[in-house]
């Protein structure tokens, strides 16, 4: 005859959601409680719960595997602790960008495009490939002063999905000057002197 170990469940633990940090580490909180113990048996939980996400990437309801726990007590040999999995979120990591280089004056060209170069990006986890580009636009394409130039950012690179780009910025001192036009198709006619400049 064979008597196999009784599988026990575990409740009372929860994984904590956190911001992306480039690792799979997860914080497990709570007090573990065994379920399925036969009445009267001496079985306890031993060890410290350690959690790990399935991968490092941003996501909702990601699986967290709990390790580091075992069974103690005089009846522990009659039981087996089943695998313990929880869920939690990894949220995007916010980035900041140094002051952009914005050309606030241009000649009218019929567009709202403003010339902008992004500053350096701050907050990327070491080893991650993340880049940032910036684009700028005037509120309207018409000639004028004191025009608002809005700068927006876009992230690139293989790890960009784990980050949240900085919010758009506005500059209120843009200028669009009048466009100088040339003229063709005319010719002056030579004439005899008549005492005038006509």
């Amino acid at each position: 005859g064979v008597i196999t170990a009784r599988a026990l469940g575990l409740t009372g633990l929860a994984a904590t959601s956190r911001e992306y940090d480039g690792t799979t580490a997860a914080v497990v909180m709570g007090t573990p409680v065994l379920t399925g113990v036969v009445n009267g048996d001496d079985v306890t939980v031993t060890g410290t719960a350690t959690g790990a996400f399935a991968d490092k990437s941003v996501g909702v309801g990601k699986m967290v595997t709990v390790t580091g726990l075992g069974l103690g007590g005089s009846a522990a040999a009659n039981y087996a602790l089943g695998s313990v999995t929880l869920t939690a979120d990894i949220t995007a990591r916010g980035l900041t960008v140094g002051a952009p280089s914005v050309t606030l004056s241009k000649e009218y060209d019929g567009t709202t495009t403003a010339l902008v170069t992004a500053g350096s990006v701050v907050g990327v986890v070491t080893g991650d490939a993340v880049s940032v580009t910036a684009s700028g636009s005037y509120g309207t394409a018409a000639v004028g002063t004191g025009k608002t130039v809005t700068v927006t950012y876009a992230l690139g690179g293989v790890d960009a999905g784990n980050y949240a780009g900085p919010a758009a910025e506005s500059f209120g001192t843009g200028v669009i000057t009048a466009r100088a036009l040339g003229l063709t198709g005319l010719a002056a006619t030579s004439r005899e002197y008549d005492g005038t400049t006509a």
Side-chain angles (χ1 to χ4, degrees), residues 115-180:
L115 182 61
V116 177
T117 302
S120 58
V121 65
V122 179
V124 177
V125 172
T126 301
D128 277 3
V130 180
S131 60
V132 63
T133 57
S135 60
S137 62
Y138 290 88
T140 67
V143 167
T145 60
K147 300 175 74 68
T148 299
V149 175
T150 301
V151 178
T152 57
Y153 300 95
L155 299 179
V158 295
D159 297 302
N162 295 314
Y163 294 85
E169 298 181 76
S170 293
F171 300 83
T173 55
V175 177
I176 297 180
T177 58
R179 185 179 184 90

Side-chain angles (χ1 to χ4, degrees), residues 176-197:
I176 297 180
T177 58
R179 185 179 184 90
L181 299 181
L183 196 62
T184 63
L186 297 179
T189 303
S190 297
R191 65 164 173 80
E192 183 182 74
Y193 170 80
D194 66 0
T196 73
T197 60

Side-chain angles (χ1 to χ4, degrees), residues 60-169:
V60 176
K62 296 175 68 72
M63 182 177 292
V64 175
T65 300
V66 178
T67 57
L69 298 178
L71 298 176
S74 59
N78 297 318
Y79 295 89
L81 183 60
S83 61
V84 181
T85 56
L86 307 169
T87 59
D89 304 338
I90 297 180
T91 58
R93 183 182 182 91
L95 294 180
T96 59
V97 173
S101 171
V102 184
T103 301
L104 291 171
S105 180
K106 74 166 187 175
E107 184 183 76
Y108 172 79
D109 63 5
T111 75
T112 60
T113 303
L115 182 61
V116 177
T117 302
S120 58
V121 65
V122 179
V124 177
V125 172
T126 301
D128 277 3
V130 180
S131 60
V132 63
T133 57
S135 60
S137 62
Y138 290 88
T140 67
V143 167
T145 60
K147 300 175 74 68
T148 299
V149 175
T150 301
V151 178
T152 57
Y153 300 95
L155 299 179
V158 295
D159 297 302
N162 295 314
Y163 294 85
E169 298 181 76

Side-chain angles (χ1 to χ4, degrees), residues 16-28:
T16 304
S17 296
R18 63 164 175 78
E19 184 182 76
Y20 172 82
D21 65 3
T23 74
T24 60
V27 175
V28 177

